[in-house]
Amino acid sequence: MHVSERLLQLYADTNAATRTKLQDTIKQNLGDGKSLSVSFEELTGATQESLPTEEKSAGDFAGWIKDGKKDAMFLPYYVSLLEMHDTVLNKEATVHQSASIDKTVVKGTPIVDKVPVPAPETTVVETTKAEEKSTIAKPRYMPEAPVPSRAERAKYQRTIEPAKPRRKSGKLIGVLFFLILLIGGGYLGYPYVLDLLEPKQEAKVVEETPKPDPEPVVQEPETNYVWLASKNVNLVSEPNGTTVTYIGDIGDRYEIVKEQDDHVEVNLDGTTAWAPLDAVTTDWPQRDLTDSALLDWVNTNLNNDWLGESIPDFFTMNEAALTETIGAPYGRETDALNAYTFYNGGFFVIQQDKVHAIDWTNTQTTREAFRSLGEPVLETDDAVVYESETYSIRLFEGTNGQTRVRLTEK
């Protein structure tokens, strides 16, 4: 079983409190820096030669947990400790019980007597002087020249004479000008008046119906896709890189961004990652499997007691509706693309706040029983893929004989 699949299985079998206690024990052991192989031997008492010898600190491990477990170097180390969590935690408890602490710490705190120094008092001497204002009478205004009397002012008054009547000659000139203007305008406008009085033949205007412009043909750009052709494919951050952005499953479909060397860049819902060309295929055949036949097989061959609802109804729910329907999960994990909510019997894959897939764990379903659906779309040594018009269903086989079934809405 691939290490990422072992991690999913272990998260389904252990509770969150146990995982948190184990992570704290790992951080305490790693400290400022230690080889992962040495740390594994100290925590378990066993050796595992496949673990890397590069030193990692507690801060590196905490960052790896917070970043969504993307570094492939920590993954086998953490999964191996999670599988032996009983041994690690029991050993840690024994060490704490045997170590006795008998230390007396005396802390002396010098007492410094502080003598308060009185602040100097400031004496403000205000001297109030009474100012006497002498009242001086303002001089009376005296004009430079004497004001003339009313009799003298009457001499300078202008004598107003009555207005003279207007002459009638101006009115006569206006009437003559109007008559001249009227006669001249009639002479000049006579031909135009005749032209208006003559009947004219109206020209028939034939209106042509405009032909509608042809609708432009919108050519949608062709989108190319690849499908993962093997189980548990590491999608890395750069070609030939070691930082794992996301671990894909067989049958996952991704949009191609570009190709470089022996890798192809794919779109991961807002981010991108690189997949090796030998792990993908662009030839994805279609089969005649119907939705009803696929769902009948799920209802007949898998344990759906932990669901309690019709299978298609879950693919219309978001995470809040899912919790309201079947209750809160006992565990929740996230990675670069999905969130996973764990229940007794399986887990849900949440993508963009919507149920994307349902996984049944520890099904014990055999490959022979799964192949009763007909000819598969793709089959490898450890996985089988079927697809209908709406769904994709896959069987994953582990090295220990356990099987996991995933139903995805395409």
Side-chain angles (χ1 to χ4, degrees):
M1 185 182 293
H2 191 271
V3 65
S4 61
E5 189 174 4
R6 288 161 54 198
L7 180 62
L8 284 175
Q9 186 64 47
L10 288 168
Y11 266 86
D13 294 339
T14 58
N15 55 44
T18 301
R19 297 197 302 269
T20 302
K21 188 175 181 180
L22 177 64
Q23 291 170 7
D24 293 339
T25 303
I26 293 173
K27 293 175 188 176
Q28 183 179 1
N29 181 265
L30 287 176
D32 295 333
K34 187 179 295 184
S35 169
L36 295 182
S37 59
V38 172
S39 174
F40 179 82
E41 183 175 355
E42 291 178 355
L43 291 171
T44 63
T47 59
Q48 188 168 339
E49 297 178 355
S50 61
L51 294 178
T53 58
E54 183 177 346
E55 289 189 358
K56 293 289 186 178
S57 66
D60 296 334
F61 179 75
W64 178 74
I65 293 292
K66 183 179 180 181
D67 201 27
K69 310 177 185 65
K70 296 181 180 178
D71 191 351
M73 184 175 296
F74 269 119
L75 194 58
Y77 166 78
Y78 179 61
V79 170
S80 299
L81 289 176
L82 195 59
E83 289 176 333
M84 301 178 66
H85 67 273
D86 291 333
T87 303
V88 175
L89 297 180
N90 290 337
K91 183 177 180 181
E92 184 70 14
T94 304
V95 171
H96 281 294
Q97 292 175 1
S98 61
S100 59
I101 299 174
D102 186 11
K103 296 180 180 179
T104 304
V105 179
V106 179
K107 294 184 179 180
T109 303
I111 300 175
V112 179
D113 294 332
K114 296 183 180 180
V115 179
V117 179
E121 296 181 359
T122 58
T123 305
V124 180
V125 179
E126 295 182 356
T127 306
T128 306
K129 296 181 180 180
E131 297 180 357
E132 298 180 356
K133 295 183 181 180
S134 59
T135 304
I136 303 174
K138 294 183 180 180
R140 186 176 180 182
Y141 172 75
M142 298 296 291
E144 296 180 0
V147 179
S149 64
R150 183 178 300 178
E152 292 175 347
R153 290 197 302 269
K155 296 178 181 180
Y156 301 101
Q157 294 294 332
R158 181 180 177 182
T159 303
I160 300 174
E161 297 179 356
K164 296 180 180 180
R166 292 183 180 180
R167 297 179 181 179
K168 296 182 179 181
S169 59
K171 185 176 183 181
L172 182 60
I173 293 173
V175 173
L176 291 176
F177 178 76
F178 177 75
L179 291 174
I180 294 171
L181 184 63
L182 184 61
I183 295 170
Y187 176 77
L188 295 175
Y190 180 72
Y192 297 100
V193 174
L194 291 178
D195 187 55
L196 291 173
L197 295 175
E198 290 181 358
K200 292 183 179 181
Q201 294 181 354
E202 296 182 357
K204 295 182 179 179
V205 180
V206 179
E207 296 182 358
E208 295 183 358
T209 304
K211 296 181 179 179
D213 295 334
E215 296 182 359
V217 178
V218 179
Q219 294 182 352
E220 296 182 358
E222 183 179 357
T223 304
N224 296 323
Y225 294 92
V226 293
W227 288 262
L228 298 186
S230 57
K231 191 176 77 168
N232 302 125
V233 179
N234 289 334
L235 306 182
V236 292
S237 59
E238 58 185 359
N240 299 312
T242 58
T243 302
V244 179
T245 302
Y246 179 72
I247 300 175
D249 279 327
I250 185 172
D252 287 350
R253 187 187 74 166
Y254 303 105
E255 180 184 351
I256 298 175
V257 179
K258 64 180 178 180
E259 292 186 16
Q260 180 177 326
D261 300 331
D262 57 348
H263 281 72
V264 58
E265 188 179 18
V266 297
N267 185 12
L268 287 181
D269 187 30
T271 185
T272 60
W274 295 84
L277 287 175
D278 57 1
V280 301
T281 180
T282 57
D283 183 16
W284 195 253
Q286 300 294 324
R287 297 290 184 259
D288 295 330
L289 181 63
T290 63
D291 290 345
S292 59
L294 187 150
L295 293 175
D296 287 342
W297 187 92
V298 171
N299 292 325
T300 304
N301 294 273
L302 298 176
N303 179 17
N304 299 321
D305 294 339
W306 61 285
L307 296 173
E309 295 289 335
S310 175
I311 299 298
D313 293 341
F314 287 99
F315 293 103
T316 63
M317 300 180 186
N318 56 18
E319 189 170 357
L322 178 66
T323 303
E324 184 178 357
T325 303
I326 62 174
Y330 71 79
R332 187 180 188 275
E333 294 293 330
T334 60
D335 57 25
L337 185 59
N338 304 315
Y340 306 87
T341 56
F342 296 88
Y343 293 86
N344 292 324
F347 59 89
F348 289 86
V349 180
I350 311 296
Q351 192 174 106
Q352 295 181 341
D353 196 29
K354 185 176 180 294
V355 174
H356 176 65
I358 307 173
D359 281 53
W360 287 261
T361 56
N362 299 329
T363 63
Q364 303 299 328
T365 302
T366 62
R367 182 185 291 257
E368 290 74 20
F370 193 66
R371 283 182 58 87
S372 64
L373 285 168
E375 183 181 3
V377 176
L378 185 64
E379 184 174 8
T380 62
D381 293 336
D382 53 3
V384 184
V385 181
Y386 286 93
E387 282 192 352
S388 65
E389 182 179 359
T390 308
Y391 304 99
S392 170
I393 188 168
R394 312 166 210 180
L395 175 73
F396 303 97
E397 292 182 325
T399 56
N400 57 355
Q402 293 181 342
T403 57
R404 175 167 58 93
V405 175
R406 168 170 291 183
L407 178 65
T408 306
E409 187 179 51
K410 293 165 56 178

